[in-house]
Amino acid sequence: MGSDERFLELAEDSISSLDGYFSISEDDQGVHLSVYSPQGAGQSVKVPQIIENLVERGISKLDNALLIRVVKEALGTPVKVADKPVEVEPDIQILVARDRMEAALQVNLPKGCRPVLIDDIMNKIKPTGIVYGIDAEAIESAIARPGSTVVCAKGLRPIDGVNAYITYHIDLENKGRPAELDDGRVDFKNLNMFTTVLKDELLAEKIPPTSGTAGMDILGNEVPAKPGRDILLPIGKNVYAVDGLKVHAGQSGQLVVLNNKVNVVPVIEVKGDVDLSTGNIEFVGNVMIQGSVQTGFTVKAEGNVDIAGNVSGGIVEGKNVIVRMGVQGMHRGHIKAAENVIAKYIENAKVYAGKDVIISDVVLHSRVSAVKRVIVEERRGLIVGGQISAGEEIRAKTIGTASATNTDIEVGVNPQMREEYQELRKEVRKIEFNLEQTQKALSILKSINLNSLPPEKREMLLKLTKAQFHLIGQIEAMRNRVAEIELVFEEMRYGRIKVSDTVYPGVKLVIGTLVKPVRDPIKYAAFFAEDGEIKTGSYK
């Protein structure tokens, strides 16, 4: 038998054994079923197959007896087995936010539902009154992802006005900072301590508030902007206003900004000592003392304090504190400056400066702390005993003595910033916990069908959503501040201790968390942190 004959025989066998089949058609009269009988040994159509197909088409009301008869007869002619199914409409939900600045859209497609069109959604939106900010892409996204919730319309939020603010026409930053020579030393002859202004000089100016720009909600209503807040002119003592916007000096004198007011005040000048004849002094401006501050007396100033003599067991606080002779603490007094402390010597005293401590002769058995630098380089330039700490740098000619006096020298230390850092990290953890709880609550609410949510739960959903973004914003701001502080800490790691003559045994050097006890005298050296240890380099 040839191959062609064999092929024809196989084809004949396959034709003589064909399974039965059925087809379902729909027209305006109803649903029609056609059943075809099998050929030869082929399998007949089964009723469950037909029922399953009809149910998938959304036809559930069936006459089983009729189906059985049509299958049994298998005539191949259409027989009406059901009415045309009613097409299920899509479920379109639109929720307008309470502030009418956005609307949420959810499209649900029940079983047997017809396809949803953009026109269906637009027809649903129209009765809500939404006319502004409709997002066509969001609507298409809702159609493509049935059951998801999208924001289908957004209003234009108003831009609030800018608050009024004060700009100063004088330099408040660098006034009171001692002049520094090219080699880094301080020029004690040019201390530049006081902010002096002349009569009629322009001191400050108010920039008026702005009204802002109105927005629009999704219903087409204008949303007014919140105008910027106005502020009063910072009128203090001995100043006057021009055009209600500018502040001028009413007399020549020292400028003091106190409680957000600009004042021009004379300097308090004490001809002799601060003692029983004067009592304690507290003043909003600058204080000049031609004598000394005696034991147990206090001088506190919002401005600078300039003392021609000594401080002997007294308390002196000010913006910058200059003691032309020196400070004898007697284990009871202290010096505290918001910016700089400048003195000839310090002995048995506590001294703190928000910027630099600059000593021209010696520091003996004292606790000295500066946010930036401690400099002891003039005359003897000696530090012996006590604890000296600075955020950035400590410079001296000699530290310690040949008799190994215990002396602690620390750089890379800023207790105030460290405390802020710890508080911030604690607060971040607290807010992160609140955010986690908020997000869990949102998850629970979103898992419930939006249509079945009662009004109070919908309101809770909106509030929790807003709270979530608020908490995220708080965390981001705090993390940014933490990163700033960590950057400062990182920079402090590069703090240096510099000795132009000798550092003796008995001295303990600390840079950040690293410690280095001095075992042998070291000359003309700079100490810095590198690769997890304190290293020694050349003074230059």
Side-chain angles (χ1 to χ4, degrees), residues 14 94 149 220 230 236 295 304 321-322 325 362 398 451-452 462 473 527:
S14 64
I94 296 173
T149 301
D230 200 1
T295 305
N304 305 304
V321 176
I322 299 176
M325 294 304 293
V362 297
T398 303
N451 301 326
S452 63
L462 288 172
F527 303 91

Side-chain angles (χ1 to χ4, degrees), residues 261-483:
K261 290 186 177 180
V262 176
N263 304 271
V264 177
V265 298
V267 177
I268 285 183
E269 185 174 354
V270 179
K271 300 295 184 182
D273 292 348
V274 175
D275 53 18
L276 286 172
S277 65
T278 64
N280 293 329
I281 295 174
E282 190 167 345
F283 187 55
V284 298
N286 303 308
V287 178
M288 296 184 67
I289 301 167
Q290 293 185 0
S292 299
V293 178
Q294 298 298 337
T295 305
F297 286 90
T298 299
V299 177
K300 292 185 178 180
E302 296 289 342
N304 305 304
V305 181
D306 190 336
I307 302 167
N310 298 301
V311 176
S312 303
I315 294 173
V316 179
E317 296 181 4
K319 184 178 181 181
N320 292 277
V321 176
I322 299 176
V323 186
R324 304 279 175 179
M325 294 304 293
V327 179
Q328 178 55 259
M330 300 179 179
H331 300 292
R332 58 189 296 181
H334 73 258
I335 307 294
K336 184 176 181 181
E339 294 186 1
N340 304 308
V341 173
I342 300 170
K344 181 178 179 181
Y345 70 87
I346 298 174
E347 183 175 357
N348 295 317
K350 293 180 180 178
V351 175
Y352 170 82
K355 290 185 178 177
D356 298 340
V357 174
I358 303 167
I359 307 302
S360 62
D361 195 358
V362 297
V363 177
L364 305 174
H365 308 289
S366 297
R367 293 180 67 87
V368 178
S369 177
V371 170
K372 290 192 173 181
R373 303 179 300 168
V374 175
I375 301 173
V376 190
E377 288 188 319
E378 301 293 327
R379 301 178 186 176
R380 283 179 287 177
L382 174 65
I383 298 175
V384 175
Q387 183 179 39
I388 314 299
S389 63
E392 297 177 3
E393 184 180 49
I394 295 175
R395 300 203 313 252
K397 285 185 178 178
T398 303
I399 301 178
T401 62
S403 58
T405 303
N406 289 334
T407 307
D408 293 346
I409 306 295
E410 300 181 9
V411 293
V413 179
N414 189 329
Q416 292 173 323
M417 190 167 285
R418 183 182 296 145
E419 183 177 345
E420 181 189 359
Y421 180 75
Q422 291 168 348
E423 286 298 319
L424 278 170
R425 293 193 62 180
K426 189 186 301 181
E427 191 65 21
V428 165
R429 286 194 294 271
K430 179 180 175 183
I431 295 176
E432 282 176 340
F433 175 79
N434 291 339
L435 178 60
E436 183 182 352
Q437 297 304 307
T438 300
Q439 290 174 335
K440 283 181 180 177
L442 276 171
S443 254
I444 293 170
L445 287 173
K446 287 180 177 178
S447 67
I448 304 170
N449 189 333
L450 190 62
N451 301 326
S452 63
L453 278 179
E456 64 271 18
K457 295 294 184 184
R458 293 188 183 187
E459 183 66 25
M460 182 185 294
L461 180 63
L462 288 172
K463 285 182 178 178
L464 287 173
T465 302
K466 290 180 180 178
Q468 174 184 239
F469 289 118
H470 177 71
L471 291 171
I472 290 171
Q474 277 188 305
I475 290 173
E476 184 178 356
M478 288 183 179
R479 284 175 177 165
N480 288 340
R481 177 58 182 158
V482 166

Side-chain angles (χ1 to χ4, degrees), residues 391-393 411-412 491-497 511 527-529:
E392 297 177 3
E393 184 180 49
V411 293
E491 292 173 352
M492 284 183 174
R493 288 179 59 246
Y494 301 106
R496 287 180 175 260
I497 301 167
I511 300 178
F527 303 91
F528 53 92

Side-chain angles (χ1 to χ4, degrees), residues 85-152:
V86 178
E87 200 167 40
V88 178
E89 288 294 314
D91 178 25
I92 300 171
Q93 295 292 330
I94 296 173
L95 179 63
V96 177
R98 193 168 187 175
D99 62 0
R100 302 189 300 276
M101 292 305 292
E102 64 180 37
L105 166 66
Q106 186 179 68
V107 177
N108 297 305
L109 301 178
K111 194 169 185 180
C113 177
R114 67 173 175 80
V116 65
L117 304 174
I118 290 181
D119 286 345
D120 295 326
I121 294 175
M122 296 306 295
N123 290 335
K124 192 77 173 179
I125 287 175
K126 190 174 181 179
T128 66
I130 299 172
V131 294
Y132 182 84
I134 297 173
D135 188 341
E137 289 186 3
I139 292 173
E140 290 176 357
S141 172
I143 294 173
R145 295 186 293 114
S148 63
T149 301
V150 300
V151 175
C152 64

